[in-house]
Amino acid sequence: MSKIFITDLDGTLLRSDQTLSNYTINTLNTALENNFIVSFATARGLVSAIHVVSNIAWKHPVILYNGALLYDVAKNEVIDGYMLNDELSNEIIYRGKRHQLAPFCFLLDADNKERVHHEKLTTFGMIEFLKSRTNDPRFCEVETIECSPSFSTLALTYIGELENLLPLKEEITADLGDRVNCHIMKDYYIENQYFLEFSHPLASKKEGLKLWASYMGVETKDICIFGDNLNDLGLFEAGGKRIAVSNSHEDILRLADKVIGSNDEDSVAQYINAYLMVAQESNNR
């Protein structure tokens, strides 16, 4: 019986309004109290992730920035990660500006604190994203985006309409190839907007899961995975049992070993609770 679970957040564990029900909170906390290993793998950074799941007493490492960072929430420290080098980061930024695009630059400073640098925002998607992060201390407007040795680059993220992002994606993919990891996906919360993200070639949830498993001393085949979107494909490729919520992208649904209810139906928590009840019944015998 599996007792190791890793779930995506947005579109999977979180409801469509970016909240968790009391049922999900209580179920996951009970599972953790009963020595189940429950963690998450998300495109979010630590501050953003903890903001929406703070009512759960996470005690195992978490996978952040789509696999770029492995973080120990119990000790509040970085364990490991995959950073994009400065030269390549600045090359991407330069090419983006030729397309009239500037990114959010997600960074770690010398003390491993999260920072997000951006130039003055002028496009709808970027402005709306920042509005959703009101009072987030990570964000800082700078005159000119430039990566330097003072910071480690986790990801360069562009937000906009698909037709405006695709030319940059195609150029970077063609010219920089396997030197950079690139993925594009529709924004969950801003209508008609897409994320285009560039990061280290190994900064994927697949490699993040391998790093997590190695640190935890477990086999990836023993991990039960929950996901819904294209950035979860790597989790499904590397993990053990693959569980898709019903609102998942068709590529995720095709790979799933089992499809459960939607993210708005406490489906992940219900699935884990079934295992929890079996374990508790066994202990009571």
Side-chain angles (χ1 to χ4, degrees):
M1 183 183 75
S2 177
K3 293 184 72 172
I4 309 174
F5 302 92
I6 288 189
T7 180
D8 170 55
L9 294 183
D10 294 279
T12 304
L13 185 68
L14 292 173
R15 296 183 292 193
S16 297
D17 62 357
Q18 303 186 60
T19 65
L20 298 174
S21 71
N22 287 333
Y23 174 82
T24 288
I25 292 168
N26 293 335
T27 298
L28 268 60
N29 279 328
T30 300
L32 286 162
E33 290 167 4
N34 283 270
N35 298 318
F36 278 52
I37 299 174
V38 185
S39 186
F40 60 82
T42 180
R44 292 175 181 253
L46 179 70
V47 171
S48 176
I50 294 302
H51 176 72
V52 292
V53 296
S54 61
N55 288 325
I56 297 173
W58 308 101
K59 56 184 176 181
H60 304 292
V62 298
I63 301 167
L64 304 170
Y65 293 102
N66 277 325
L69 196 65
L70 186 64
Y71 198 89
D72 188 326
V73 291
K75 296 180 180 179
N76 196 30
E77 64 184 24
V78 172
I79 297 171
D80 206 343
Y82 300 111
M83 313 300 173
L84 196 61
N85 72 58
D86 296 337
E87 180 182 358
L88 201 51
S89 298
N90 288 324
E91 176 70 14
I92 293 168
I93 292 168
Y94 168 74
R95 288 171 181 256
K97 288 187 175 182
R98 293 196 315 203
H99 292 271
Q100 288 75 56
L101 298 170
F104 286 115
C105 189
F106 290 87
L107 310 160
L108 289 181
D109 66 17
D111 296 319
N112 282 330
K113 300 298 183 184
E114 294 178 288
R115 299 285 183 261
V116 187
H117 289 176
H118 61 89
E119 297 179 4
K120 183 176 178 60
L121 303 179
T122 59
T123 61
F124 172 74
M126 300 285 279
I127 292 170
E128 289 300 304
F129 181 81
L130 185 57
K131 282 182 181 178
S132 72
R133 301 297 191 268
T134 302
N135 299 323
D136 189 325
R138 296 175 300 162
F139 287 80
C140 175
E141 183 178 317
V142 297
E143 184 174 348
T144 304
I145 287 281
E146 184 177 14
C147 296
S148 72
S150 301
F151 298 94
S152 300
T153 304
L154 292 160
L156 301 172
T157 302
Y158 298 82
I159 305 171
E161 295 181 7
L162 186 61
E163 59 266 30
N164 294 330
L165 299 178
L166 281 177
L168 178 59
K169 176 186 181 295
E170 291 166 359
E171 178 182 325
I172 297 297
T173 301
D175 294 349
L176 301 181
D178 59 6
R179 297 175 62 199
V180 61
N181 182 39
C182 167
H183 74 259
I184 191 165
M185 58 184 282
K186 196 173 189 305
D187 187 278
Y188 284 103
Y189 310 112
I190 311 174
E191 189 174 3
N192 298 322
Q193 298 294 298
Y194 285 75
F195 278 90
L196 172 61
E197 182 177 280
F198 300 103
S199 54
H200 187 281
L202 294 179
S204 67
K205 287 190 179 181
K206 179 178 182 178
E207 297 302 325
L209 184 68
K210 291 179 182 178
L211 201 62
W212 185 92
S214 176
Y215 182 82
M216 292 292 293
V218 302
E219 298 290 333
T220 56
K221 65 179 177 61
D222 296 326
I223 304 171
C224 182
I225 300 297
F226 301 93
D228 77 297
N229 215 331
L230 293 175
N231 62 331
D232 298 320
L233 285 172
L235 289 178
F236 274 41
E237 292 170 4
K241 192 164 187 180
R242 302 165 294 187
I243 312 298
V245 285
S246 62
N247 52 285
S248 295
H249 188 281
E250 59 184 13
D251 289 351
I252 290 290
L253 293 172
R254 263 197 302 269
L255 285 174
D257 297 310
K258 183 178 178 63
V259 178
I260 55 179
S262 78
N263 63 313
D264 288 316
E265 300 175 287
D266 294 323
S267 301
V268 171
Q270 289 186 43
Y271 188 91
I272 293 174
N273 189 54
Y275 280 80
L276 182 59
M277 291 178 68
V278 171
Q280 289 176 332
E281 288 174 3
S282 177
N283 291 337
N284 290 334
R285 288 173 186 168

